[in-house]
Amino acid sequence: MFGKKAQPPIKSLIAQGTRIEGNVKFTEGLRVDGEVYGDIQTAAEDAGSLLVISEASVVQGAVVADHVIINGTVRGPVHARELLELQPKARIEGDVSYVALEMHQGATISGQLKPLVAAAPGEEEKPLLKLAKTA
């Protein structure tokens, strides 16, 4: 369905036991094992960004990236410009917007789900599925 492309390398780490109070901006890949009290985002022009929020981590603020993988707690809105993966221990308290969503059993969302339409430049939008008429 979605073409698998190489994920960017994770070049930055917020380690377990680390607490950041303030906004975080990153490029390419970021893994959060600690706590962040502020927004985490990548620049809109940084295509292919990857954000991993691990099981022990807590983020209180908005999260924005292309590919977002969550297995910890996020208190705030989540915006995945491409793919949002929710692992079994993911807890989100806020609205979620995404192009594609993969949600494992056990993950919870307390907020609205808002699917986004993504059409790459020069790419036609896929036709909607239509039910065949039965005789």
Side-chain angles (χ1 to χ4, degrees), residues 25-26 41-49 64-66 79 81-82:
K25 291 193 179 200
F26 71 98
Q41 65 181 2
T42 183
E45 62 274 2
D46 183 22
S49 59
V64 179
D66 291 329
H79 182 82
R81 293 187 292 246
E82 290 177 10

Side-chain angles (χ1 to χ4, degrees), residues 20-94:
I20 294 179
E21 295 181 8
N23 297 335
V24 176
K25 291 193 179 200
F26 71 98
T27 58
E28 294 187 9
L30 170 66
R31 179 180 173 98
V32 178
D33 290 340
E35 299 176 11
V36 176
Y37 293 87
D39 299 342
I40 300 177
Q41 65 181 2
T42 183
E45 62 274 2
D46 183 22
S49 59
L50 172 65
L51 173 61
V52 178
I53 298 173
S54 71
E55 183 179 335
S57 62
V58 175
V59 174
Q60 190 156 336
V63 169
V64 179
D66 291 329
H67 185 172
V68 181
I69 301 171
I70 300 175
N71 199 26
T73 301
V74 176
R75 295 185 187 103
V78 175
H79 182 82
R81 293 187 292 246
E82 290 177 10
L83 174 63
L84 174 61
E85 292 183 46
L86 300 179
Q87 301 293 320
K89 296 190 178 182
R91 303 285 176 264
I92 298 176
E93 298 172 13

